[in-house]
Amino acid sequence: MVVAIGGAEWLRGGGAAPSWAYVTTIGAVVLTAGAVFWRSRRRVEWGLVAAALLMALVLMRTVRGAATLSCCWASAREDRLTRASLQLSRELGAAVSDARELAQRAADAAPLPRDEAFDRLEWAVSRGTPGVERGVALVAADGTPVAWAGRHRTLPAPDTAELKADISPFYVTLEARRQTAAGAVAVATVLLDAGPAVPDGDGAVARRFARAYGVDLKFYAPRTAPHDHDVFDFCPRGCDTGDTLFSVKPLPPVQAEALAALTRQGERWVAVGLIALLLFLLMTAPAGPWRWAALATAALTLARFPLAPALMESGPSPPTLAQPLLGFVSESAVALGVVSAALLVAAAALWRRGLPRRFFTLWPAGFLLLAAPYLVRYFGRGIRPPVSGVSIPLWLSWEVALSAVAMALVMLAAALVRGSEEPRRIPWTLPAACAWAILAALAGLWLWQPYNAWPEWYTFLWLPALAGAIVPARRRATLFAVATVAGTAAALVTWGASIEGRLSLAAHDVAGLGAAEDTAVARALDSLGTVTDTVRPPQTAGALYALWRSSSLATEGFPAVLALWSPDGQLETELRLAALDLPDPLLSVLARRPGAPSVPRVEELARIPGVHEVLVAPLLSGEWITIGVGPRTLLVESDRVTRFLRGEGGVAAPYTLTISAPSLTSSATERFTWTRDAWSVRGERRFDFADGVRHVHARVGLGGPGGLLVRGCLAVLVDLAFLVALMAAGGLFGPRRPREGPSALTRLRESYRLRLAAVLVAFFVAPVLAFGIWSFADLTQSAAFAGDLLITQTLRDATHSAEQVPFDRPTAAAAIHDLGTRLDAGLWAYRGGALV
């Protein structure tokens, strides 16, 4: 127990816990190992010792490594560089071998029919170094692609080089080519590096190298690398022949980053050891008080330390369910669910024991029933949906946590009134309680209102269902009744709390309209303006995006418009990441304003729907960069390119905002009011903007009754499975009863009901599931085919309209943008494989 608590405290402090945490942990490990060795040599107890030793070794290694990095960073940095340099040549050589072998296999597949060529290329891509991103394509002599497989970050350009490296601001790719007898070319591509702006570049060789050796790689084109002894020129046949493919420079992290990486690695292994330790602790603890103490230790440890961020390498995120009532227990849905699950196991063991029914047990049971709906509603009000939307796993985490609270209280009340003997008949109150709970939940869908949610008397409407669920009955019937009543209540409270959280997000969004952003935005733009003097002037949209990604504003999700202007005010390159109210003529005036100082400056503009900050930064070449940043609101829609680059998922937005045209007769209002309209909630407010009063309309969907009913049924099934599993675990904490009759496995094998269920599943359920899976796959293929048809039709329409685009004039980019706006698509024009 001391080992578990010490490891959890060390992890909760992010590797910076006080020294007593790991000192006591290591001491407890030694005592535990000695005690187990002296008293017993069972395998399960040796597993406990192994888990404790794992935690101790990880703690000692992490503490020792942190001390080394703190006192001797120069020598540690040099050792890391030396070790990485010795492995660098081998890693790059393996990438060259993968590219050449893949190109050769693709060339061998050229004579095959096209369908077989696709299959052969898919097989060829699966070979090679595991985890490295590869792609291959067969290109005919006229440049037409014949077959392809894998992933292609860039289009293969016409070339005759057998081996070539393509370096861009975002990607570094290695291309190998093979000629075929028919004149076609097989082009194999291996991703060497992906820039920080690329969200899905974990398959790059450089990122795998950084994870393995803690050193990043910086690639340079031949003869462009700085003169440094750390720069490595990669030449497949030897650099004396002059065929340098590229130069690469290892970049070790700074001291703070190295310490953070070491701590994250230690957290991950300690989390694994902590889970194993707690599992073996429950298995080895003797029945009785020691096992109960082990259960309490496991629950409090898992509640105090968040395991998910350490195991999934995801940084700490703000809690989406938190209330201050129980301290760290109610700080998150996971902590609340874990502690409630432990309480539910205790209630299950108490229910199995069968306490005699006395008058002094009825009063606590009544108090628990009365407190259950209030506690569930209280914890439900702590739900805070994220702005990015609510996914199904997140919603289920809320629902399971709240249902665990309700089921624990109800099962504890049922254990207090059960009696010493289990009834053989099912009383009528159990089905009546289930029906009453379902009707109360359905009524709650219609009674909910934006303000105060449900009326005060509605809470007492659940008391008959709760009281009916704890009436003494057979175990299976009790489990079903408790899961139904608690699950429907938790599902309803989760639905209402998530709606209230979405209303709060929408109200906060609307409250910030028309006002100026925080001064931190201007400071971030100022710091970004100073960077433009030290980097190479961006000449493409990709270079502009790479510059924008280096700012903290990009990480925080601010909408932006990036543009590069010539000395005379002509637009050269533009990248609109959002639909901001910053037209090109306005930005052009800011870039060439007469008398403006030739230093980076930030302009503040009153636009729609709020104040916009624009950075105007001059370059040494005489050109200008403008970066316009708008307010973070759903009224500003992200561009398709932005959604693609960020890799945003398909989670629906928590609310929608629309804004009307300006009106000169209306007046602004100060209050934002919500009104329920059938199965949606509408919010209204009028703002006084520069061009007049505009009406802002917010809408939050409640979902239809049919969909909510299906979701509630699924939630009840999940709660029932959760309750059955915890009730089975509760049997480990109760008194052992002598086995009577055949074992459970024998009873299952000889059960007529089980055989009948297996036959029904084989002849009815399995075919229905197979048909459903086939229908889903067919629907997916139909959707992909419909998407291909839409793309083909869009390109066909764009081809006819693009004949009038003046590609030889500077206005070509604006014409392509307008054409894409009319066709509701993002269009790019290429000539000879190059973006023009």
Side-chain angles (χ1 to χ4, degrees):
M1 296 179 186
V2 175
V3 176
I5 296 173
E9 287 296 331
W10 185 85
L11 285 166
R12 184 174 176 83
S19 58
W20 66 266
Y22 48 83
V23 170
T24 55
T25 299
I26 296 173
V29 167
V30 176
L31 293 177
T32 303
V36 171
F37 182 79
W38 181 261
R39 296 296 301 272
S40 175
R41 296 187 181 183
R42 290 190 304 167
R43 294 181 180 179
V44 65
E45 294 184 356
W46 279 112
L48 176 65
V49 174
L53 287 176
L54 172 64
M55 289 185 59
L57 291 176
V58 171
L59 288 174
M60 288 188 294
R61 179 180 178 274
T62 306
V63 172
R64 180 182 176 185
T68 303
L69 293 178
S70 299
C71 70
C72 312
W73 169 242
S75 60
R77 177 181 181 275
E78 191 65 27
D79 292 342
R80 184 172 297 194
L81 275 176
T82 303
R83 186 173 63 253
S85 299
L86 293 176
Q87 300 293 332
L88 180 58
S89 179
R90 185 176 62 85
E91 295 287 339
L92 296 178
V96 171
S97 299
D98 285 349
R100 285 174 170 168
E101 291 177 5
L102 185 56
Q104 185 60 48
R105 287 170 178 160
D108 297 339
L112 299 176
R114 192 175 186 186
D115 293 341
E116 297 183 10
F118 273 101
D119 297 334
R120 181 66 64 86
L121 294 185
E122 286 285 351
W123 172 83
V125 168
S126 64
R127 305 292 173 174
T129 306
V132 175
E133 183 178 312
R134 293 178 291 271
V136 64
L138 277 173
V139 183
D142 58 352
T144 304
V146 178
W148 54 89
R151 188 166 189 180
H152 300 267
R153 299 282 183 165
T154 58
L155 295 176
D159 205 320
T160 58
E162 184 266 341
L163 200 63
K164 176 188 175 183
D166 185 13
I167 301 178
S168 68
F170 293 95
Y171 304 109
V172 178
T173 56
L174 181 66
E175 296 179 355
R177 287 175 171 79
R178 290 291 186 274
Q179 297 287 337
T180 64
V185 180
V187 184
T189 305
V190 175
L191 183 63
L192 294 181
D193 192 15
V198 179
D200 53 351
D202 291 337
V205 174
R207 291 197 182 183
R208 296 178 68 252
F209 190 85
R211 290 194 297 268
Y213 303 103
V215 174
D216 293 324
L217 300 178
K218 175 68 174 178
F219 289 85
Y220 298 92
R223 295 176 296 278
T224 62
H227 297 286
D228 195 340
H229 68 279
D230 292 335
V231 174
F232 172 70
D233 294 329
F234 183 72
C235 313
R237 297 189 183 90
C239 292
D240 53 346
T241 59
D243 57 346
T244 302
L245 274 180
F246 51 80
S247 299
V248 59
K249 180 179 180 180
L251 301 175
V254 298
Q255 186 177 13
E257 293 178 354
L259 286 171
L262 181 65
T263 303
R264 285 195 301 269
Q265 185 179 11
E267 286 180 359
R268 194 177 313 117
W269 282 105
V270 171
V272 173
L274 184 62
I275 294 176
L277 179 67
L278 295 175
L279 180 62
F280 284 115
L281 182 63
L282 289 173
M283 295 172 61
T284 57
W290 285 104
R291 187 167 293 178
W292 286 110
L295 177 64
T297 301
L300 294 178
T301 302
L302 294 178
R304 186 165 180 79
F305 170 61
L307 290 176
L311 294 177
M312 303 176 60
E313 300 186 14
S314 60
S317 56
T320 58
L321 190 155
Q323 286 285 56
L325 179 63
L326 302 178
F328 68 90
V329 173
S330 56
E331 284 182 354
S332 67
V334 175
L336 184 62
V338 167
V339 174
S340 300
L343 184 61
L344 186 55
V345 170
L350 189 63
W351 190 89
R352 285 175 176 269
R353 184 182 297 271
L355 295 177
R357 191 183 308 117
R358 299 287 189 270
F359 74 94
F360 54 81
T361 62
L362 299 180
W363 287 100
F367 176 76
L368 291 174
L369 291 184
L370 187 62
Y374 285 99
L375 281 178
V376 172
R377 188 171 178 180
Y378 170 78
F379 288 122
R381 289 188 178 275
I383 292 178
R384 301 183 182 93
V387 181
S388 57
V390 179
S391 60
I392 294 297
L394 181 60
W395 189 90
L396 279 178
S397 68
W398 299 337
E399 200 278 333
V400 171
L402 295 180
S403 64
V405 174
M407 289 188 297
L409 296 177
V410 176
M411 281 301 301
L412 190 57
L416 294 175
V417 301
R418 174 181 179 268
S420 57
E421 296 183 0
E422 180 177 333
R424 297 182 177 274
R425 307 178 68 178
I426 301 176
W428 63 270
T429 55
L430 262 65
C434 296
W436 187 275
I438 294 174
L439 293 177
L442 293 176
L445 297 177
W446 272 270
L447 290 175
W448 183 90
Q449 293 297 327
Y451 300 101
N452 299 324
W454 293 281
E456 290 296 332
W457 57 264
Y458 178 73
T459 303
F460 297 95
L461 193 64
W462 285 89
L463 294 181
L466 294 172
I470 67 170
V471 173
R474 301 186 64 178
R475 182 169 63 92
R476 297 177 182 177
T478 301
L479 293 181
F480 182 80
V482 171
T484 301
V485 174
T488 50
L492 180 67
V493 170
T494 304
W495 171 78
S498 62
I499 296 297
E500 292 177 9
R502 291 160 62 187
L503 294 180
S504 177
L505 289 175
H508 184 269
D509 190 338
V510 173
L513 297 179
E517 279 287 351
D518 194 349
T519 55
V521 177
R523 290 197 300 268
L525 285 177
D526 281 332
S527 61
L528 187 60
T530 59
V531 174
T532 57
D533 296 335
T534 60
V535 299
R536 191 169 62 178
Q539 300 297 328
T540 62
L544 281 175
Y545 185 68
L547 177 64
W548 167 248
R549 286 289 299 178
S550 64
S551 171
S552 60
L553 298 176
T555 307
E556 296 173 6
F558 279 89
V561 173
L562 320 174
L564 178 67
W565 305 88
S566 64
D568 57 351
Q570 297 297 323
L571 180 64
E572 295 183 354
T573 304
E574 184 181 32
L575 181 61
R576 287 192 169 268
L577 301 176
L580 292 179
D581 185 22
L582 294 174
D584 291 341
L586 175 61
L587 296 176
S588 176
V589 170
L590 293 177
R592 59 177 183 175
R593 176 182 293 176
S598 58
V599 294
R601 67 184 190 275
V602 176
E603 301 278 354
E604 186 176 288
L605 304 177
R607 308 296 295 178
I608 309 299
V611 176
H612 291 47
E613 307 281 351
V614 181
L615 169 67
V616 183
L619 302 178
L620 298 178
S621 60
E623 298 168 307
W624 294 78
I625 287 181
T626 58
I627 300 179
V629 177
R632 286 180 295 183
T633 172
L634 289 189
L635 282 177
V636 179
E637 298 181 0
S638 299
D639 193 83
R640 298 182 192 86
V641 178
T642 307
R643 294 193 293 268
F644 171 75
L645 293 174
R646 290 179 181 174
E648 295 180 358
V651 180
Y655 56 92
T656 58
L657 293 180
T658 55
I659 188 169
S660 68
S663 174
L664 300 179
T665 58
S666 303
S667 58
T669 57
E670 294 294 334
R671 188 178 178 185
F672 184 70
T673 58
W674 292 105
T675 304
R676 178 167 179 174
D677 183 12
W679 293 100
S680 65
V681 181
R682 295 183 294 103
E684 314 285 343
R685 186 179 173 183
R686 292 189 295 270
F687 286 87
D688 189 6
F689 291 106
D691 57 349
V693 176
R694 290 177 177 260
H695 188 94
V696 177
H697 176 84
R699 181 183 180 276
V700 176
L702 303 180
L708 294 177
L709 183 61
V710 172
R711 178 179 289 189
C713 293
L714 294 177
V716 170
L717 292 178
V718 172
D719 297 335
L720 180 60
F722 184 68
L723 180 59
V724 169
L726 293 181
M727 284 291 291
L732 301 176
F733 296 86
R736 293 189 176 183
R737 298 179 180 179
R739 180 179 298 177
E740 299 178 358
S743 63
L745 184 60
T746 303
R747 291 197 302 269
L748 287 177
R749 187 169 58 248
E750 297 177 355
S751 173
Y752 172 75
R753 295 180 180 179
L754 183 62
R755 295 178 182 179
L756 180 61
V759 171
L760 293 177
V761 168
F763 286 93
F764 293 98
V765 178
V768 170
L769 289 177
F771 178 75
I773 294 173
W774 175 82
S775 301
F776 182 77
D778 184 69
L779 179 63
T780 303
Q781 294 179 358
S782 301
F785 181 70
D788 293 340
L789 287 180
L790 178 61
I791 293 174
T792 303
Q793 183 63 37
T794 302
L795 291 176
R796 188 173 298 149
D797 297 340
T799 302
H800 295 296
S801 302
E803 295 177 354
Q804 289 78 29
V805 174
F807 287 100
D808 55 343
R809 297 182 182 178
T811 58
I816 288 290
H817 183 270
D818 294 340
L819 178 60
T821 302
R822 292 200 304 270
L823 297 177
D824 193 24
L827 301 178
W828 291 266
Y830 290 84
R831 181 183 296 118
L835 179 65
V836 297

